[in-house]
Amino acid sequence: VEGAMALCLYGSFLVDKISCATASETEVEDDSLLLDLLTPVIKSWPSEWCLEANKWSLQIHGGYGYTRDYAPEQTYRDNRLNMIHEGTNGIQSLDLLGRKVHLQNGRGIDLLCKRVEETIKIANEIGKKTYLSNLEKHAEALADATTRLQRTTSVLKKAGENDPALMLCNSHEYLNMFGHTVV
């Protein structure tokens, strides 16, 4: 849930940065492209996976049965509507894989991967200098996930050249993979 919140706040940060008068034209273009790429993920990934987390929070009550005595019940009902309010996740996944990934010949995903690589580098440096040794393990896992995302994107783009329907039938799982990687 915290990762989903961070993703939403990062999208808000990009909106603010784009509208800021101090940003250079290149920064505005890059941030706009990155925001375009991330928007379907920001709108759909949290609505699906926070609902899943909330579903598991209901399990804590075990044999108590369905009740309105505890907050997770109301949160679950509220979260269930998010997929509808933000546009269906299927449409968001088609937008991501069918349009956003291809903008400017894939420059958006290249920008994203570059920023992730910078984050990995910083995490490794911090992990070496501090007691946060697990940080390096997390950085390595993120690097692996990013590589898988890049490979999957490449394979799906290639498949889409010959058969767009084949590419798009994988859009929902691609969005999940994308969201898990960026969160």
Side-chain angles (χ1 to χ4, degrees):
V1 174
E2 290 84 3
M5 178 65 84
L7 178 62
C8 294
L9 291 173
Y10 185 69
S12 297
F13 168 73
L14 289 173
V15 169
D16 289 346
K17 196 172 170 196
I18 290 164
S19 64
C20 180
T22 60
S24 73
E25 189 174 320
T26 303
E27 284 179 310
V28 169
E29 287 175 13
D30 288 353
D31 290 341
S32 294
L33 188 58
L34 190 57
L35 182 61
D36 284 344
L37 177 70
L38 290 174
T39 295
V41 182
I42 292 167
K43 291 177 85 173
S44 60
W45 193 91
S47 72
E48 185 164 339
W49 291 98
C50 290
L51 181 69
E52 183 70 13
N54 190 251
K55 178 187 88 173
W56 286 106
S57 74
L58 288 172
Q59 300 301 316
I60 293 170
H61 301 293
Y64 193 68
Y66 181 78
T67 177
R68 292 184 177 203
D69 295 347
Y70 299 103
E73 178 272 335
Q74 177 68 49
T75 306
Y76 184 87
R77 284 189 290 129
D78 292 346
N79 281 339
R80 184 64 187 101
L81 294 174
N82 287 339
M83 287 185 228
I84 298 165
H85 292 155
E86 295 299 334
T88 65
N89 290 1
I91 297 300
Q92 297 299 335
S93 69
L94 291 171
D95 184 37
L96 175 65
L97 187 55
R99 293 179 40 209
K100 303 298 175 80
V101 166
H102 302 280
L103 290 174
Q104 297 182 22
N105 288 330
R107 196 166 82 77
I109 198 154
D110 291 342
L111 282 168
L112 175 68
C113 290
K114 181 181 173 192
R115 292 193 185 183
V116 169
E117 288 169 12
E118 291 167 0
T119 301
I120 291 168
K121 182 180 175 185
I122 291 167
N124 281 324
E125 289 171 3
I126 291 170
K128 288 176 183 165
K129 293 178 183 177
T130 67
Y131 61 91
L132 299 172
S133 60
N134 283 343
L135 196 55
E136 291 174 271
K137 292 176 187 174
H138 292 299
E140 184 179 335
L142 180 56
D144 291 344
T146 303
T147 299
R148 282 193 303 277
L149 179 64
Q150 289 172 307
R151 287 183 189 153
T152 302
T153 302
S154 179
V155 167
L156 289 172
K157 285 171 82 174
K158 186 139 181 90
E161 292 171 5
N162 298 323
D163 186 359
L166 178 62
M167 174 187 71
L168 293 175
C169 74
N170 292 286
S171 65
H172 186 263
E173 292 310 314
Y174 179 79
L175 185 139
N176 285 336
M177 177 188 200
F178 199 107
H180 279 75
T181 301
V182 297
V183 170

